[in-house]
Amino acid sequence: MRHSMRDAFWSAIHSLPESFWRQFTWLGDSGLLLPAALLIAVWLASARHTWSAAWAWVLIFGGASSAVLASKLAFLGWGIGSASLNFTGISGHTMLSAAVWPVALWLVASRGTHRLRVALAIAGWLLAAGIGVSRLALFAHSWSEVVSGFLLGACASAAFLAVQHRMPHPRLRASMVVLSLLLPLVYQQPGNAAPTQGLLERAAVRLAGIERPFTRGDLLGREGKAL
């Protein structure tokens, strides 16, 4: 039963072309979602009565992002990971998606009903789950990396929305929020990944004082595992 479910899952994934997954996974790219996260903070800080919500978002999102950064640098620079879990660091695409999209869609519906805001936040988590699947489809991450990324990002967005529920509520024009969130399209073509991984590798090499970053092959080979 377990194997048949797994086979059905991979069959469903591979029924779609790789080009689709490459375009879809861009919705979790740091080149799109880091500016979006910043713009969320800007929108929340645009009115004095929502400054507290802006600070809450910055602190919660910053903490989740720092956890991803630390996990990636720990592996790339020092080889800290888990061969048994095939874990080399928290999936940044998945974490960013689960943290940013629910809050961004909630913000778009800030003038709508509570039910609409909740529905759009849930849609954001579902979108993030799909982006996590895209990372598996492209063999960019393992299950442990995607699941940890989703849980971290979902906890971050859920924590912010729970905290914000007790704070003054923003009321923004949906059209203006949507247009601002699309600003990254001005300088980055959809489907083109930001050079985040390369920057992290160079930073890890410099911090650890090594010749090259650790790779998944190093981790799995060191403990006699195979992909």
Side-chain angles (χ1 to χ4, degrees):
M1 178 67 176
R2 185 176 177 180
H3 288 296
S4 62
M5 289 180 63
R6 183 181 63 185
D7 292 342
F9 173 80
W10 284 111
S11 177
I13 282 180
H14 294 309
S15 67
L16 295 170
E18 182 179 332
S19 58
F20 165 80
W21 291 117
R22 291 199 175 279
Q23 291 294 323
F24 186 67
T25 205
W26 183 80
L27 293 174
D29 192 78
S30 59
L32 173 67
L33 293 187
L34 286 180
L38 175 61
L39 287 166
I40 289 172
V42 170
W43 278 117
L44 291 172
S46 63
R48 182 180 293 272
H49 70 279
T50 55
W51 281 2
S52 55
W55 278 113
W57 169 247
V58 169
L59 291 173
I60 293 172
F61 178 77
S65 298
S66 296
V68 173
L69 179 62
S71 73
K72 287 181 175 291
L73 290 177
F75 176 74
L76 293 170
W78 291 270
I80 300 174
S82 171
S84 61
L85 295 176
N86 195 6
F87 182 82
T88 64
I90 301 169
S91 169
H93 276 67
T94 313
M95 190 288 291
L96 287 173
S97 301
V100 174
W101 279 118
V103 177
L105 294 178
W106 164 84
L107 199 62
V108 168
S110 62
R111 289 193 176 189
T113 64
H114 175 71
R115 181 174 296 181
L116 177 61
R117 292 193 297 271
V118 170
L120 287 184
I122 292 173
W125 285 312
L126 292 175
L127 174 60
I131 291 169
V133 170
S134 76
R135 305 309 288 162
L136 296 172
L138 294 170
F139 302 102
H141 283 292
S142 67
W143 275 100
S144 62
E145 294 159 358
V146 168
V147 170
S148 61
F150 182 83
L151 291 176
L152 178 60
C155 285
S157 55
F160 168 76
L161 292 175
V163 168
Q164 195 283 328
H165 188 66
R166 300 190 295 270
M167 297 177 177
H169 189 72
R171 294 184 59 81
L172 303 168
R173 289 185 179 276
S175 58
M176 295 301 295
V177 176
V178 170
L179 286 174
S180 70
L181 294 175
L182 293 177
L183 280 178
L185 297 179
V186 173
Y187 61 85
Q188 187 180 18
Q189 184 178 353
N192 290 344
T196 311
Q197 184 65 24
L199 293 173
L200 287 174
E201 290 176 356
R202 289 193 289 274
V205 166
R206 178 167 296 185
L207 288 170
I210 55 180
E211 293 185 357
R212 65 171 181 84
F214 282 86
T215 67
R216 193 182 300 276
D218 294 325
L219 177 72
L220 299 180
R222 183 170 67 231
E223 299 192 19
K225 303 289 182 178
L227 276 170

